[in-house]
Amino acid sequence: MAMKRALYELGRMARETGQALDHVGLRALEKPIFKESFSRHRAVMNLYEHHPDVANDSFIAPNASVVGNVFVGTGASVWYGAVVRGDLNKVYIGPGSSIGDRAVLHTSKSVEGKPDASCTIGQHVQIGAGALLQSCVVEDRAVVGAGAVVMEGAIVEEFAHVAEGAVVHPGRRVPKGQMWAGNPAVFVRNLTKTEMAHHQGAAEDTSELASEHAFEFLPANTAYLQAESLGVKDAE
Protein backbone atom coordinates (compact mmCIF):
# COMPACT_ATOMS: atom_id res chain seq x y z
CA MET A 1 0.00 0.00 0.00
CA ALA A 2 2.83 2.38 0.89
CA MET A 3 4.53 1.69 -2.47
CA LYS A 4 1.28 2.38 -4.37
CA ARG A 5 0.83 5.65 -2.51
CA ALA A 6 4.42 6.67 -3.26
CA LEU A 7 3.93 5.93 -6.98
CA TYR A 8 0.69 7.92 -6.95
CA GLU A 9 2.43 10.93 -5.39
CA LEU A 10 5.28 10.62 -7.91
CA GLY A 11 2.80 10.65 -10.78
CA ARG A 12 1.05 13.66 -9.34
CA MET A 13 4.35 15.53 -9.03
CA ALA A 14 5.15 14.74 -12.68
CA ARG A 15 1.79 16.08 -13.82
CA GLU A 16 2.20 19.29 -11.81
CA THR A 17 5.70 19.74 -13.25
CA GLY A 18 4.29 19.30 -16.74
CA GLN A 19 1.67 21.98 -16.10
CA ALA A 20 4.30 24.37 -14.81
CA LEU A 21 6.48 23.82 -17.90
CA ASP A 22 3.43 24.38 -20.12
CA HIS A 23 2.81 27.73 -18.40
CA VAL A 24 6.46 28.76 -18.92
CA GLY A 25 6.25 27.86 -22.60
CA LEU A 26 3.01 29.83 -23.07
CA ARG A 27 4.56 32.87 -21.38
CA ALA A 28 7.51 32.63 -23.76
CA LEU A 29 5.10 32.58 -26.70
CA GLU A 30 3.24 35.54 -25.19
CA LYS A 31 0.07 33.44 -25.03
CA PRO A 32 -0.78 33.23 -21.32
CA ILE A 33 -4.12 31.53 -22.00
CA PHE A 34 -3.75 29.56 -18.76
CA LYS A 35 -4.76 32.76 -16.94
CA GLU A 36 -8.21 32.60 -18.51
CA SER A 37 -11.02 31.11 -16.43
CA PHE A 38 -11.53 27.57 -17.73
CA SER A 39 -13.12 24.74 -15.79
CA ARG A 40 -10.61 22.02 -15.00
CA HIS A 41 -13.33 19.68 -13.77
CA ARG A 42 -12.67 16.02 -14.51
CA ALA A 43 -15.84 14.04 -15.05
CA VAL A 44 -13.99 10.73 -14.64
CA MET A 45 -11.29 10.64 -11.97
CA ASN A 46 -9.02 8.00 -10.48
CA LEU A 47 -8.63 7.66 -6.74
CA TYR A 48 -5.20 6.21 -5.98
CA GLU A 49 -5.22 2.68 -7.43
CA HIS A 50 -8.96 2.72 -8.14
CA HIS A 51 -9.83 3.52 -11.75
CA PRO A 52 -13.36 3.98 -13.15
CA ASP A 53 -14.23 1.41 -15.82
CA VAL A 54 -16.48 3.27 -18.26
CA ALA A 55 -17.91 1.70 -21.43
CA ASN A 56 -17.06 3.51 -24.65
CA ASP A 57 -20.70 4.03 -25.59
CA SER A 58 -21.85 5.26 -22.19
CA PHE A 59 -22.49 8.95 -21.50
CA ILE A 60 -20.87 10.82 -18.62
CA ALA A 61 -22.02 14.46 -18.54
CA PRO A 62 -19.16 16.98 -18.52
CA ASN A 63 -20.08 18.31 -15.08
CA ALA A 64 -20.84 14.91 -13.52
CA SER A 65 -18.32 13.21 -11.22
CA VAL A 66 -17.44 9.53 -11.50
CA VAL A 67 -14.69 8.81 -8.99
CA GLY A 68 -12.72 5.74 -8.00
CA ASN A 69 -13.90 2.14 -8.10
CA VAL A 70 -16.88 2.58 -10.45
CA PHE A 71 -18.12 0.46 -13.36
CA VAL A 72 -20.41 2.06 -15.95
CA GLY A 73 -21.88 -0.42 -18.42
CA THR A 74 -22.62 -0.11 -22.11
CA GLY A 75 -25.35 2.36 -22.97
CA ALA A 76 -25.55 3.65 -19.39
CA SER A 77 -25.61 7.36 -18.58
CA VAL A 78 -24.62 9.63 -15.70
CA TRP A 79 -26.37 12.96 -16.17
CA TYR A 80 -25.55 16.57 -15.38
CA GLY A 81 -24.38 17.29 -11.85
CA ALA A 82 -24.64 13.65 -10.73
CA VAL A 83 -21.98 12.22 -8.41
CA VAL A 84 -20.91 8.56 -8.34
CA ARG A 85 -18.28 7.91 -5.65
CA GLY A 86 -16.50 4.59 -5.52
CA ASP A 87 -14.13 5.63 -2.75
CA LEU A 88 -15.00 3.29 0.12
CA ASN A 89 -16.46 0.45 -1.98
CA LYS A 90 -17.37 -0.40 -5.54
CA VAL A 91 -20.27 1.14 -7.44
CA TYR A 92 -21.66 -0.89 -10.33
CA ILE A 93 -23.99 0.68 -12.91
CA GLY A 94 -25.40 -1.89 -15.31
CA PRO A 95 -25.97 -1.58 -19.07
CA GLY A 96 -28.69 0.83 -20.17
CA SER A 97 -29.20 2.35 -16.72
CA SER A 98 -29.41 6.10 -16.10
CA ILE A 99 -28.33 8.19 -13.11
CA GLY A 100 -30.40 11.38 -13.21
CA ASP A 101 -29.32 15.00 -12.83
CA ARG A 102 -27.82 15.77 -9.40
CA ALA A 103 -28.32 12.20 -8.13
CA VAL A 104 -25.70 10.84 -5.73
CA LEU A 105 -24.47 7.25 -5.47
CA HIS A 106 -21.93 6.43 -2.79
CA THR A 107 -20.86 3.64 -0.48
CA SER A 108 -19.97 2.82 3.10
CA LYS A 109 -16.86 1.09 4.35
CA SER A 110 -17.08 -2.69 4.59
CA VAL A 111 -17.33 -4.17 8.08
CA GLU A 112 -16.31 -7.75 8.77
CA GLY A 113 -19.28 -9.99 9.40
CA LYS A 114 -21.76 -7.65 7.71
CA PRO A 115 -23.14 -7.70 4.12
CA ASP A 116 -21.16 -6.25 1.25
CA ALA A 117 -21.30 -2.45 1.31
CA SER A 118 -21.00 -1.89 -2.44
CA CYS A 119 -23.70 -0.11 -4.45
CA THR A 120 -25.16 -2.12 -7.33
CA ILE A 121 -27.48 -0.79 -10.02
CA GLY A 122 -28.82 -3.44 -12.41
CA GLN A 123 -29.70 -3.22 -16.09
CA HIS A 124 -32.13 -0.64 -17.53
CA VAL A 125 -32.64 1.00 -14.13
CA GLN A 126 -33.78 4.61 -13.86
CA ILE A 127 -32.48 6.69 -10.96
CA GLY A 128 -34.38 9.97 -10.83
CA ALA A 129 -32.99 13.49 -10.50
CA GLY A 130 -31.69 14.33 -7.04
CA ALA A 131 -32.02 10.78 -5.68
CA LEU A 132 -29.57 9.56 -3.03
CA LEU A 133 -28.42 5.95 -2.87
CA GLN A 134 -25.94 4.51 -0.37
CA SER A 135 -24.55 0.95 -0.45
CA CYS A 136 -27.79 -0.56 -1.71
CA VAL A 137 -29.00 -2.84 -4.53
CA VAL A 138 -31.43 -1.77 -7.24
CA GLU A 139 -32.27 -4.69 -9.51
CA ASP A 140 -33.02 -4.75 -13.25
CA ARG A 141 -35.70 -2.46 -14.68
CA ALA A 142 -36.55 -0.87 -11.35
CA VAL A 143 -37.25 2.84 -10.92
CA VAL A 144 -36.11 5.14 -8.11
CA GLY A 145 -38.03 8.39 -8.35
CA ALA A 146 -36.68 11.94 -8.19
CA GLY A 147 -35.51 12.98 -4.73
CA ALA A 148 -35.95 9.48 -3.29
CA VAL A 149 -33.48 8.04 -0.78
CA VAL A 150 -32.43 4.38 -0.68
CA MET A 151 -30.31 3.73 2.38
CA GLU A 152 -27.58 1.25 3.25
CA GLY A 153 -28.43 -2.43 2.85
CA ALA A 154 -31.80 -1.82 1.19
CA ILE A 155 -32.83 -3.85 -1.86
CA VAL A 156 -35.18 -2.66 -4.60
CA GLU A 157 -36.18 -5.73 -6.59
CA GLU A 158 -36.70 -5.86 -10.35
CA PHE A 159 -39.59 -3.85 -11.84
CA ALA A 160 -40.24 -2.20 -8.44
CA HIS A 161 -40.88 1.54 -8.20
CA VAL A 162 -39.74 3.77 -5.33
CA ALA A 163 -41.90 6.88 -5.59
CA GLU A 164 -40.58 10.44 -5.78
CA GLY A 165 -39.31 11.66 -2.40
CA ALA A 166 -39.72 8.28 -0.70
CA VAL A 167 -37.18 7.08 1.85
CA VAL A 168 -36.32 3.36 1.92
CA HIS A 169 -34.78 2.76 5.33
CA PRO A 170 -31.68 0.60 5.92
CA GLY A 171 -32.10 -3.10 5.26
CA ARG A 172 -35.61 -2.84 3.82
CA ARG A 173 -36.65 -4.81 0.74
CA VAL A 174 -39.04 -3.45 -1.91
CA PRO A 175 -40.50 -6.57 -3.58
CA LYS A 176 -40.73 -7.15 -7.32
CA GLY A 177 -43.36 -5.15 -9.18
CA GLN A 178 -44.50 -3.07 -6.21
CA MET A 179 -44.71 0.69 -5.70
CA TRP A 180 -43.56 2.04 -2.35
CA ALA A 181 -43.87 5.64 -1.15
CA GLY A 182 -43.55 7.81 1.94
CA ASN A 183 -41.05 8.17 4.78
CA PRO A 184 -40.47 5.50 5.81
CA ALA A 185 -41.41 3.99 2.47
CA VAL A 186 -44.31 1.53 2.64
CA PHE A 187 -46.26 -0.58 0.16
CA VAL A 188 -48.78 1.37 -1.92
CA ARG A 189 -49.92 -1.03 -4.65
CA ASN A 190 -48.82 -3.60 -7.20
CA LEU A 191 -47.77 -2.27 -10.59
CA THR A 192 -49.67 -3.38 -13.68
CA LYS A 193 -48.00 -5.35 -16.45
CA THR A 194 -48.25 -2.25 -18.66
CA GLU A 195 -46.43 -0.13 -16.07
CA MET A 196 -43.66 -2.69 -15.65
CA ALA A 197 -43.23 -2.94 -19.43
CA HIS A 198 -42.96 0.87 -19.52
CA HIS A 199 -39.89 0.67 -17.26
CA GLN A 200 -37.92 -1.05 -20.04
CA GLY A 201 -39.11 1.34 -22.75
CA ALA A 202 -38.41 4.45 -20.68
CA ALA A 203 -34.89 3.22 -19.91
CA GLU A 204 -34.23 2.61 -23.61
CA ASP A 205 -35.53 6.11 -24.48
CA THR A 206 -33.18 7.65 -21.92
CA SER A 207 -30.25 5.67 -23.33
CA GLU A 208 -31.02 6.96 -26.83
CA LEU A 209 -31.26 10.54 -25.55
CA ALA A 210 -27.93 10.10 -23.78
CA SER A 211 -26.29 9.07 -27.04
CA GLU A 212 -27.45 12.36 -28.59
CA HIS A 213 -25.89 14.31 -25.73
CA ALA A 214 -22.71 12.26 -25.99
CA PHE A 215 -22.41 13.18 -29.67
CA GLU A 216 -21.88 16.82 -28.72
CA PHE A 217 -18.65 15.86 -26.96
CA LEU A 218 -17.06 13.81 -29.72
CA PRO A 219 -13.70 15.04 -31.07
CA ALA A 220 -15.36 16.04 -34.36
CA ASN A 221 -17.44 18.62 -32.52
CA THR A 222 -14.65 19.93 -30.30
CA ALA A 223 -11.98 20.39 -32.96
CA TYR A 224 -12.12 24.14 -32.32
CA LEU A 225 -10.64 23.52 -28.88
CA GLN A 226 -7.64 21.78 -30.42
CA ALA A 227 -7.28 24.62 -32.92
CA GLU A 228 -7.31 27.22 -30.15
CA SER A 229 -4.65 25.30 -28.22
CA LEU A 230 -2.43 25.47 -31.32
CA GLY A 231 -3.03 29.20 -31.76
CA VAL A 232 -5.09 28.79 -34.95
CA LYS A 233 -7.65 31.56 -35.41
CA ASP A 234 -10.91 31.44 -37.34
CA ALA A 235 -10.52 27.72 -37.94
CA GLU A 236 -13.36 26.10 -39.85
PDB file of all heavy atoms in Angstrom, residues 131-158:
ATOM      1  N   ALA A 131     -31.914  11.942  -6.569  1.00  0.00           N
ATOM      2  CA  ALA A 131     -32.024  10.784  -5.680  1.00  0.00           C
ATOM      3  C   ALA A 131     -30.693  10.538  -4.960  1.00  0.00           C
ATOM      4  O   ALA A 131     -29.630  10.943  -5.443  1.00  0.00           O
ATOM      5  CB  ALA A 131     -32.428   9.543  -6.460  1.00  0.00           C
ATOM      6  N   LEU A 132     -30.767   9.885  -3.820  1.00  0.00           N
ATOM      7  CA  LEU A 132     -29.568   9.562  -3.031  1.00  0.00           C
ATOM      8  C   LEU A 132     -29.582   8.081  -2.702  1.00  0.00           C
ATOM      9  O   LEU A 132     -30.525   7.590  -2.082  1.00  0.00           O
ATOM     10  CB  LEU A 132     -29.540  10.385  -1.744  1.00  0.00           C
ATOM     11  CG  LEU A 132     -28.438  10.038  -0.723  1.00  0.00           C
ATOM     12  CD1 LEU A 132     -27.057  10.278  -1.327  1.00  0.00           C
ATOM     13  CD2 LEU A 132     -28.612  10.849   0.549  1.00  0.00           C
ATOM     14  N   LEU A 133     -28.528   7.383  -3.119  1.00  0.00           N
ATOM     15  CA  LEU A 133     -28.421   5.948  -2.868  1.00  0.00           C
ATOM     16  C   LEU A 133     -27.092   5.652  -2.184  1.00  0.00           C
ATOM     17  O   LEU A 133     -26.047   6.141  -2.630  1.00  0.00           O
ATOM     18  CB  LEU A 133     -28.504   5.148  -4.167  1.00  0.00           C
ATOM     19  CG  LEU A 133     -29.877   5.017  -4.841  1.00  0.00           C
ATOM     20  CD1 LEU A 133     -30.270   6.318  -5.535  1.00  0.00           C
ATOM     21  CD2 LEU A 133     -29.876   3.894  -5.859  1.00  0.00           C
ATOM     22  N   GLN A 134     -27.149   4.861  -1.115  1.00  0.00           N
ATOM     23  CA  GLN A 134     -25.938   4.507  -0.375  1.00  0.00           C
ATOM     24  C   GLN A 134     -25.864   3.008  -0.151  1.00  0.00           C
ATOM     25  O   GLN A 134     -26.747   2.426   0.479  1.00  0.00           O
ATOM     26  CB  GLN A 134     -25.898   5.228   0.976  1.00  0.00           C
ATOM     27  CG  GLN A 134     -24.685   4.838   1.829  1.00  0.00           C
ATOM     28  CD  GLN A 134     -24.692   5.515   3.184  1.00  0.00           C
ATOM     29  OE1 GLN A 134     -25.589   6.286   3.493  1.00  0.00           O
ATOM     30  NE2 GLN A 134     -23.692   5.223   3.997  1.00  0.00           N
ATOM     31  N   SER A 135     -24.832   2.366  -0.686  1.00  0.00           N
ATOM     32  CA  SER A 135     -24.546   0.948  -0.446  1.00  0.00           C
ATOM     33  C   SER A 135     -25.818   0.098  -0.472  1.00  0.00           C
ATOM     34  O   SER A 135     -26.125  -0.629   0.469  1.00  0.00           O
ATOM     35  CB  SER A 135     -23.826   0.771   0.902  1.00  0.00           C
ATOM     36  OG  SER A 135     -22.545   1.353   0.861  1.00  0.00           O
ATOM     37  N   CYS A 136     -26.541   0.180  -1.577  1.00  0.00           N
ATOM     38  CA  CYS A 136     -27.789  -0.563  -1.714  1.00  0.00           C
ATOM     39  C   CYS A 136     -27.784  -1.327  -3.034  1.00  0.00           C
ATOM     40  O   CYS A 136     -26.839  -1.231  -3.813  1.00  0.00           O
ATOM     41  CB  CYS A 136     -28.983   0.390  -1.653  1.00  0.00           C
ATOM     42  SG  CYS A 136     -28.949   1.662  -2.941  1.00  0.00           S
ATOM     43  N   VAL A 137     -28.849  -2.081  -3.280  1.00  0.00           N
ATOM     44  CA  VAL A 137     -29.000  -2.836  -4.526  1.00  0.00           C
ATOM     45  C   VAL A 137     -30.316  -2.434  -5.182  1.00  0.00           C
ATOM     46  O   VAL A 137     -31.367  -2.460  -4.544  1.00  0.00           O
ATOM     47  CB  VAL A 137     -28.985  -4.350  -4.272  1.00  0.00           C
ATOM     48  CG1 VAL A 137     -29.264  -5.114  -5.563  1.00  0.00           C
ATOM     49  CG2 VAL A 137     -27.662  -4.791  -3.668  1.00  0.00           C
ATOM     50  N   VAL A 138     -30.236  -2.050  -6.458  1.00  0.00           N
ATOM     51  CA  VAL A 138     -31.429  -1.768  -7.244  1.00  0.00           C
ATOM     52  C   VAL A 138     -31.385  -2.712  -8.439  1.00  0.00           C
ATOM     53  O   VAL A 138     -30.493  -2.623  -9.278  1.00  0.00           O
ATOM     54  CB  VAL A 138     -31.483  -0.296  -7.719  1.00  0.00           C
ATOM     55  CG1 VAL A 138     -32.777  -0.033  -8.486  1.00  0.00           C
ATOM     56  CG2 VAL A 138     -31.373   0.651  -6.525  1.00  0.00           C
ATOM     57  N   GLU A 139     -32.325  -3.641  -8.493  1.00  0.00           N
ATOM     58  CA  GLU A 139     -32.274  -4.688  -9.505  1.00  0.00           C
ATOM     59  C   GLU A 139     -32.811  -4.209 -10.863  1.00  0.00           C
ATOM     60  O   GLU A 139     -33.320  -3.098 -10.997  1.00  0.00           O
ATOM     61  CB  GLU A 139     -33.043  -5.911  -9.006  1.00  0.00           C
ATOM     62  CG  GLU A 139     -32.397  -6.551  -7.769  1.00  0.00           C
ATOM     63  CD  GLU A 139     -33.127  -7.802  -7.294  1.00  0.00           C
ATOM     64  OE1 GLU A 139     -34.234  -8.090  -7.798  1.00  0.00           O
ATOM     65  OE2 GLU A 139     -32.585  -8.495  -6.407  1.00  0.00           O
ATOM     66  N   ASP A 140     -32.704  -5.092 -11.858  1.00  0.00           N
ATOM     67  CA  ASP A 140     -33.020  -4.753 -13.247  1.00  0.00           C
ATOM     68  C   ASP A 140     -34.407  -4.133 -13.413  1.00  0.00           C
ATOM     69  O   ASP A 140     -35.387  -4.596 -12.815  1.00  0.00           O
ATOM     70  CB  ASP A 140     -32.945  -6.003 -14.125  1.00  0.00           C
ATOM     71  CG  ASP A 140     -31.555  -6.627 -14.142  1.00  0.00           C
ATOM     72  OD1 ASP A 140     -30.601  -5.980 -13.675  1.00  0.00           O
ATOM     73  OD2 ASP A 140     -31.422  -7.768 -14.623  1.00  0.00           O
ATOM     74  N   ARG A 141     -34.456  -3.094 -14.241  1.00  0.00           N
ATOM     75  CA  ARG A 141     -35.704  -2.456 -14.683  1.00  0.00           C
ATOM     76  C   ARG A 141     -36.529  -1.882 -13.538  1.00  0.00           C
ATOM     77  O   ARG A 141     -37.746  -1.723 -13.650  1.00  0.00           O
ATOM     78  CB  ARG A 141     -36.536  -3.432 -15.519  1.00  0.00           C
ATOM     79  CG  ARG A 141     -35.812  -3.889 -16.775  1.00  0.00           C
ATOM     80  CD  ARG A 141     -36.502  -5.044 -17.477  1.00  0.00           C
ATOM     81  NE  ARG A 141     -35.673  -5.515 -18.593  1.00  0.00           N
ATOM     82  CZ  ARG A 141     -34.641  -6.351 -18.470  1.00  0.00           C
ATOM     83  NH1 ARG A 141     -34.323  -6.822 -17.271  1.00  0.00           N
ATOM     84  NH2 ARG A 141     -33.927  -6.716 -19.514  1.00  0.00           N
ATOM     85  N   ALA A 142     -35.867  -1.556 -12.456  1.00  0.00           N
ATOM     86  CA  ALA A 142     -36.550  -0.873 -11.355  1.00  0.00           C
ATOM     87  C   ALA A 142     -36.445   0.633 -11.566  1.00  0.00           C
ATOM     88  O   ALA A 142     -35.650   1.114 -12.381  1.00  0.00           O
ATOM     89  CB  ALA A 142     -35.930  -1.272 -10.018  1.00  0.00           C
ATOM     90  N   VAL A 143     -37.251   1.381 -10.828  1.00  0.00           N
ATOM     91  CA  VAL A 143     -37.252   2.842 -10.915  1.00  0.00           C
ATOM     92  C   VAL A 143     -37.140   3.421  -9.515  1.00  0.00           C
ATOM     93  O   VAL A 143     -37.882   3.024  -8.609  1.00  0.00           O
ATOM     94  CB  VAL A 143     -38.536   3.364 -11.589  1.00  0.00           C
ATOM     95  CG1 VAL A 143     -38.589   4.896 -11.531  1.00  0.00           C
ATOM     96  CG2 VAL A 143     -38.631   2.888 -13.028  1.00  0.00           C
ATOM     97  N   VAL A 144     -36.215   4.359  -9.340  1.00  0.00           N
ATOM     98  CA  VAL A 144     -36.109   5.137  -8.106  1.00  0.00           C
ATOM     99  C   VAL A 144     -36.438   6.569  -8.479  1.00  0.00           C
ATOM    100  O   VAL A 144     -35.732   7.196  -9.271  1.00  0.00           O
ATOM    101  CB  VAL A 144     -34.708   5.027  -7.486  1.00  0.00           C
ATOM    102  CG1 VAL A 144     -34.593   5.923  -6.253  1.00  0.00           C
ATOM    103  CG2 VAL A 144     -34.395   3.581  -7.106  1.00  0.00           C
ATOM    104  N   GLY A 145     -37.529   7.096  -7.948  1.00  0.00           N
ATOM    105  CA  GLY A 145     -38.027   8.394  -8.348  1.00  0.00           C
ATOM    106  C   GLY A 145     -37.152   9.557  -7.921  1.00  0.00           C
ATOM    107  O   GLY A 145     -36.249   9.426  -7.088  1.00  0.00           O
ATOM    108  N   ALA A 146     -37.436  10.725  -8.482  1.00  0.00           N
ATOM    109  CA  ALA A 146     -36.683  11.944  -8.191  1.00  0.00           C
ATOM    110  C   ALA A 146     -36.736  12.269  -6.698  1.00  0.00           C
ATOM    111  O   ALA A 146     -37.799  12.209  -6.073  1.00  0.00           O
ATOM    112  CB  ALA A 146     -37.252  13.102  -9.001  1.00  0.00           C
ATOM    113  N   GLY A 147     -35.584  12.587  -6.130  1.00  0.00           N
ATOM    114  CA  GLY A 147     -35.510  12.981  -4.735  1.00  0.00           C
ATOM    115  C   GLY A 147     -35.679  11.856  -3.737  1.00  0.00           C
ATOM    116  O   GLY A 147     -35.694  12.097  -2.526  1.00  0.00           O
ATOM    117  N   ALA A 148     -35.796  10.620  -4.207  1.00  0.00           N
ATOM    118  CA  ALA A 148     -35.946   9.485  -3.294  1.00  0.00           C
ATOM    119  C   ALA A 148     -34.603   9.148  -2.641  1.00  0.00           C
ATOM    120  O   ALA A 148     -33.535   9.496  -3.159  1.00  0.00           O
ATOM    121  CB  ALA A 148     -36.492   8.269  -4.031  1.00  0.00           C
ATOM    122  N   VAL A 149     -34.678   8.457  -1.506  1.00  0.00           N
ATOM    123  CA  VAL A 149     -33.479   8.039  -0.778  1.00  0.00           C
ATOM    124  C   VAL A 149     -33.563   6.533  -0.546  1.00  0.00           C
ATOM    125  O   VAL A 149     -34.573   6.039  -0.020  1.00  0.00           O
ATOM    126  CB  VAL A 149     -33.352   8.768   0.572  1.00  0.00           C
ATOM    127  CG1 VAL A 149     -32.130   8.267   1.330  1.00  0.00           C
ATOM    128  CG2 VAL A 149     -33.277  10.279   0.365  1.00  0.00           C
ATOM    129  N   VAL A 150     -32.515   5.815  -0.934  1.00  0.00           N
ATOM    130  CA  VAL A 150     -32.427   4.378  -0.682  1.00  0.00           C
ATOM    131  C   VAL A 150     -31.192   4.169   0.178  1.00  0.00           C
ATOM    132  O   VAL A 150     -30.067   4.387  -0.286  1.00  0.00           O
ATOM    133  CB  VAL A 150     -32.349   3.558  -1.982  1.00  0.00           C
ATOM    134  CG1 VAL A 150     -32.336   2.069  -1.666  1.00  0.00           C
ATOM    135  CG2 VAL A 150     -33.513   3.893  -2.908  1.00  0.00           C
ATOM    136  N   MET A 151     -31.395   3.753   1.404  1.00  0.00           N
ATOM    137  CA  MET A 151     -30.308   3.734   2.380  1.00  0.00           C
ATOM    138  C   MET A 151     -29.558   2.405   2.403  1.00  0.00           C
ATOM    139  O   MET A 151     -29.929   1.442   1.724  1.00  0.00           O
ATOM    140  CB  MET A 151     -30.869   4.093   3.753  1.00  0.00           C
ATOM    141  CG  MET A 151     -31.567   5.457   3.758  1.00  0.00           C
ATOM    142  SD  MET A 151     -32.294   5.929   5.334  1.00  0.00           S
ATOM    143  CE  MET A 151     -30.824   6.363   6.254  1.00  0.00           C
ATOM    144  N   GLU A 152     -28.537   2.370   3.210  1.00  0.00           N
ATOM    145  CA  GLU A 152     -27.583   1.249   3.246  1.00  0.00           C
ATOM    146  C   GLU A 152     -28.262  -0.092   3.509  1.00  0.00           C
ATOM    147  O   GLU A 152     -29.089  -0.223   4.404  1.00  0.00           O
ATOM    148  CB  GLU A 152     -26.538   1.521   4.325  1.00  0.00           C
ATOM    149  CG  GLU A 152     -25.427   0.491   4.384  1.00  0.00           C
ATOM    150  CD  GLU A 152     -24.352   0.867   5.383  1.00  0.00           C
ATOM    151  OE1 GLU A 152     -24.451   1.949   6.000  1.00  0.00           O
ATOM    152  OE2 GLU A 152     -23.416   0.068   5.554  1.00  0.00           O
ATOM    153  N   GLY A 153     -27.924  -1.080   2.674  1.00  0.00           N
ATOM    154  CA  GLY A 153     -28.426  -2.430   2.848  1.00  0.00           C
ATOM    155  C   GLY A 153     -29.812  -2.681   2.287  1.00  0.00           C
ATOM    156  O   GLY A 153     -30.297  -3.811   2.312  1.00  0.00           O
ATOM    157  N   ALA A 154     -30.465  -1.650   1.762  1.00  0.00           N
ATOM    158  CA  ALA A 154     -31.801  -1.823   1.190  1.00  0.00           C
ATOM    159  C   ALA A 154     -31.705  -2.489  -0.176  1.00  0.00           C
ATOM    160  O   ALA A 154     -30.696  -2.369  -0.879  1.00  0.00           O
ATOM    161  CB  ALA A 154     -32.499  -0.472   1.069  1.00  0.00           C
ATOM    162  N   ILE A 155     -32.772  -3.180  -0.556  1.00  0.00           N
ATOM    163  CA  ILE A 155     -32.834  -3.851  -1.862  1.00  0.00           C
ATOM    164  C   ILE A 155     -34.140  -3.461  -2.545  1.00  0.00           C
ATOM    165  O   ILE A 155     -35.222  -3.610  -1.968  1.00  0.00           O
ATOM    166  CB  ILE A 155     -32.761  -5.384  -1.720  1.00  0.00           C
ATOM    167  CG1 ILE A 155     -31.438  -5.799  -1.058  1.00  0.00           C
ATOM    168  CG2 ILE A 155     -32.912  -6.052  -3.077  1.00  0.00           C
ATOM    169  CD1 ILE A 155     -31.338  -7.292  -0.790  1.00  0.00           C
ATOM    170  N   VAL A 156     -34.018  -2.962  -3.773  1.00  0.00           N
ATOM    171  CA  VAL A 156     -35.179  -2.659  -4.600  1.00  0.00           C
ATOM    172  C   VAL A 156     -35.203  -3.716  -5.697  1.00  0.00           C
ATOM    173  O   VAL A 156     -34.330  -3.728  -6.563  1.00  0.00           O
ATOM    174  CB  VAL A 156     -35.101  -1.242  -5.190  1.00  0.00           C
ATOM    175  CG1 VAL A 156     -36.324  -0.950  -6.057  1.00  0.00           C
ATOM    176  CG2 VAL A 156     -34.979  -0.196  -4.080  1.00  0.00           C
ATOM    177  N   GLU A 157     -36.166  -4.612  -5.649  1.00  0.00           N
ATOM    178  CA  GLU A 157     -36.185  -5.731  -6.589  1.00  0.00           C
ATOM    179  C   GLU A 157     -36.611  -5.285  -7.988  1.00  0.00           C
ATOM    180  O   GLU A 157     -37.096  -4.167  -8.195  1.00  0.00           O
ATOM    181  CB  GLU A 157     -37.109  -6.831  -6.062  1.00  0.00           C
ATOM    182  CG  GLU A 157     -36.602  -7.482  -4.789  1.00  0.00           C
ATOM    183  CD  GLU A 157     -37.441  -8.677  -4.360  1.00  0.00           C
ATOM    184  OE1 GLU A 157     -38.482  -8.956  -5.004  1.00  0.00           O
ATOM    185  OE2 GLU A 157     -37.060  -9.346  -3.375  1.00  0.00           O
ATOM    186  N   GLU A 158     -36.445  -6.197  -8.960  1.00  0.00           N
ATOM    187  CA  GLU A 158     -36.704  -5.860 -10.354  1.00  0.00           C
ATOM    188  C   GLU A 158     -38.153  -5.404 -10.561  1.00  0.00           C
ATOM    189  O   GLU A 158     -39.078  -5.886  -9.925  1.00  0.00           O
ATOM    190  CB  GLU A 158     -36.390  -7.053 -11.259  1.00  0.00           C
ATOM    191  CG  GLU A 158     -37.185  -8.310 -10.962  1.00  0.00           C
ATOM    192  CD  GLU A 158     -36.850  -9.438 -11.909  1.00  0.00           C
ATOM    193  OE1 GLU A 158     -36.252  -9.164 -12.969  1.00  0.00           O
ATOM    194  OE2 GLU A 158     -37.169 -10.591 -11.593  1.00  0.00           O
TER     195      GLU A 158
END
